[in-house]
Amino acid sequence: AFALHGCNAKYRVSSYRDLVRVPNEVDPYEAVAVIQSYTTAFQALMQGIHGHERYSRKPLMNKRILIVGPCGNFERALVDLSNFLGAKRVYFSAHSSTHSHDNYIRLLGAIPLSDDPDEWPTDIEGVIDIAVDSICLGEYGNSIYTPQILCCCCHSQLFLFL
């Protein structure tokens, strides 16, 4: 079942229209995790995109996306969807004391950045269209990298700042 207002219960009464058929060979627990991660990522990336454009083939065409947070399932979904939906560039600032995630970030299809905005390259100055901050630090809010749309995502809740 796909609930809009919470739902971390073992059982839930739902209408058949709210259910998604999962093939028998897919583990139901994995299916739920994928749906939650990718749906939240899609909602975060589509903030500010409305109407028919939201569900067009490449709604992020020529957009530059900044992802700030750990290298988790949600952030991986953000990178996957950004690239699939036509983003021009995807930057990823993984918060860790080392750059141990840089190769993984490149394999996902994003450009790794330091966790310190002062160390970011100047060629991305002023070109971030959408920033998704999954740890809600907002360290770049008053910097030269201020995005057009900032979306903070904490525990599958979206907070939008325009």
Side-chain angles (χ1 to χ4, degrees):
F2 191 56
L4 297 177
H5 303 289
C7 186
N8 288 321
K10 188 171 182 176
Y11 301 102
R12 175 170 167 39
V13 176
S14 297
S15 168
Y16 72 93
R17 291 178 293 232
D18 296 331
L19 302 178
V20 176
R21 183 177 298 274
V22 177
N24 290 336
E25 61 272 8
V26 175
D27 181 334
Y29 296 107
E30 290 179 12
V32 169
V34 168
I35 290 170
Q36 183 178 14
S37 296
Y38 276 77
T39 301
T40 306
F42 180 81
Q43 291 170 340
L45 291 168
M46 293 297 112
Q47 295 298 318
I49 300 176
H50 304 286
H52 72 281
E53 190 177 335
R54 182 179 175 103
Y55 300 103
S56 66
R57 186 175 167 97
K58 300 289 182 185
L60 298 179
M61 185 65 72
N62 295 319
K63 301 279 187 199
R64 292 174 181 93
I65 312 298
L66 171 64
I67 300 165
V68 178
C71 287
N73 290 333
F74 173 66
E75 292 78 17
R76 180 179 178 162
L78 286 167
V79 175
D80 283 347
L81 287 174
S82 295
N83 287 322
F84 182 75
L85 298 174
K88 183 175 185 176
R89 296 269 190 281
V90 181
Y91 301 98
F92 194 144
S93 175
H95 280 264
S96 67
S97 57
T98 66
H99 293 279
S100 61
H101 295 105
D102 286 2
N103 286 334
Y104 178 68
I105 291 168
R106 282 187 194 92
L107 287 172
L108 291 177
I111 300 166
L113 298 175
S114 167
D115 61 348
D116 181 2
D118 293 332
E119 296 177 8
W120 293 353
T122 56
D123 63 335
I124 67 168
E125 180 179 321
V127 299
I128 300 300
D129 297 300
I130 300 170
V132 181
D133 183 349
S134 64
I135 50 180
C136 300
L137 287 181
E139 295 174 349
Y140 47 84
N142 295 321
S143 74
I144 56 178
Y145 302 102
T146 303
Q148 294 176 9
I149 297 174
L150 169 62
C151 185
C152 289
C153 306
C154 298
H155 305 291
S156 299
Q157 299 294 319
L158 300 178
F159 304 95
L160 179 64
F161 304 94
L162 299 174

